[in-house]
Amino acid sequence: MSLPAALSARTLDTLTSALGMTVADDVPLTSTMSPEPVGRLRVLRGGPIDKIVTVDLVVPPIGLDSHMIFAFTGKDSAVPHFTLDSVYGGDYFAMHLDLIPRADLAVNLGYLDACYLPLTPLLDAAWQIDGVSAAAIGPRQRALMSPWMVVCRATEPAFEKLGDTVAAYLEHWLSLVDKGVPTPEADLAARDSANRANLFSPEVDPVWNQVTRLLGAEQSERVRGELRA
């Protein structure tokens, strides 16, 4: 198993064990590039959150080994969504790790402090790992996430060390799910719907155009639809 696949599997195991969730849908993803499925879309349900969505895409001929997890809290919950994207792109490793805010952090300081302040030393330590460098995403995409997002490229040794960062972010997030968070001033459901529409928009994130070229429009829309809903 590759490093990104192993990290994703460990993270999903921790999530399912802690939350008691099971696979409700397991859909193979196909491509004209291969007679065999190039990936799978899974939806897990049954726990205290809304759902977990995983998308795995593995296409060795083009150097793609990508494993994405989104753990979505309920529409009316203020607990951030958890996400991990672990990738090998042929000549580099990459990661996107974050707790996606459910409210405007600038006007909800108590919410910010409870959800994000404990992540500061973890974020600082991650950027000190030798071999970690910032990924090339612009401020427009960064504005949709949190300032505590880890989005980077990494050497193989650095990627292995980032596993501790992922485990610590996940442990903190699970504590938020368990204990709850301060109630922010926000229309949680409406903000979440708008935020997800932007997060998973091809107009905002060009990776969706690559996914469509790989899987075709129908399957790409199936995946995006599950992430937006």
Side-chain angles (χ1 to χ4, degrees):
M1 183 181 291
S2 69
L3 285 177
L7 177 60
S8 183
R10 288 199 306 274
T11 303
L12 186 60
D13 283 348
T14 300
L15 281 166
T16 55
S17 296
L19 303 176
M21 303 182 74
T22 58
V23 177
D25 295 294
D26 191 344
V27 181
L29 299 173
T30 60
S31 171
T32 56
M33 295 187 64
S34 170
E36 302 295 330
V38 296
R40 64 197 296 201
L41 164 68
R42 286 175 291 176
V43 182
L44 293 83
R45 298 184 186 276
I49 64 171
D50 181 36
K51 64 180 177 180
I52 298 172
V53 178
T54 76
V55 181
D56 303 285
L57 294 171
V58 180
V59 191
I62 60 172
L64 177 63
D65 185 4
S66 173
H67 306 270
M68 182 175 71
I69 296 172
F70 266 91
F72 292 108
T73 54
K75 291 286 187 184
D76 293 323
S77 170
V79 177
H81 302 313
F82 173 86
T83 184
L84 169 68
D85 198 0
S86 51
V87 176
Y88 180 65
D91 55 0
Y92 62 89
F93 291 86
M95 176 179 292
H96 170 215
L97 171 68
D98 199 14
L99 273 58
I100 300 173
R102 299 294 304 273
D104 184 350
L105 299 180
V107 297
N108 290 284
L109 197 56
Y111 176 79
L112 179 157
D113 287 346
C115 295
Y116 294 98
L117 213 53
L119 299 178
T120 300
L122 303 174
L123 178 69
D124 291 343
W127 288 116
Q128 295 302 314
I129 296 173
D130 186 38
V132 171
S133 58
I137 75 166
R140 191 177 188 225
Q141 278 184 267
R142 289 182 181 276
L144 306 182
M145 301 289 187
S146 89
W148 284 264
M149 170 176 63
V150 179
V151 58
C152 64
R153 289 190 176 190
T155 62
E156 183 171 341
F159 188 86
E160 290 186 291
K161 291 179 180 177
L162 284 168
D164 291 340
T165 308
V166 174
Y169 266 58
L170 180 56
E171 181 180 6
H172 172 64
W173 181 78
L174 287 170
S175 77
L176 299 179
V177 173
D178 180 49
K179 298 176 182 176
V181 300
T183 302
E185 293 183 10
D187 184 339
L188 295 169
R191 185 189 184 280
D192 187 52
S193 180
N195 186 218
R196 286 205 222 180
N198 291 334
L199 278 174
F200 305 117
S201 167
E203 196 272 329
V204 174
D205 188 348
V207 75
W208 288 108
N209 295 321
Q210 299 172 25
V211 172
T212 299
R213 284 196 294 272
L214 176 64
L215 301 178
E218 184 175 347
Q219 290 184 105
S220 181
E221 281 303 302
R222 170 75 173 86
V223 172
R224 289 202 313 117
E226 197 63 65
L227 292 166
R228 290 195 308 263

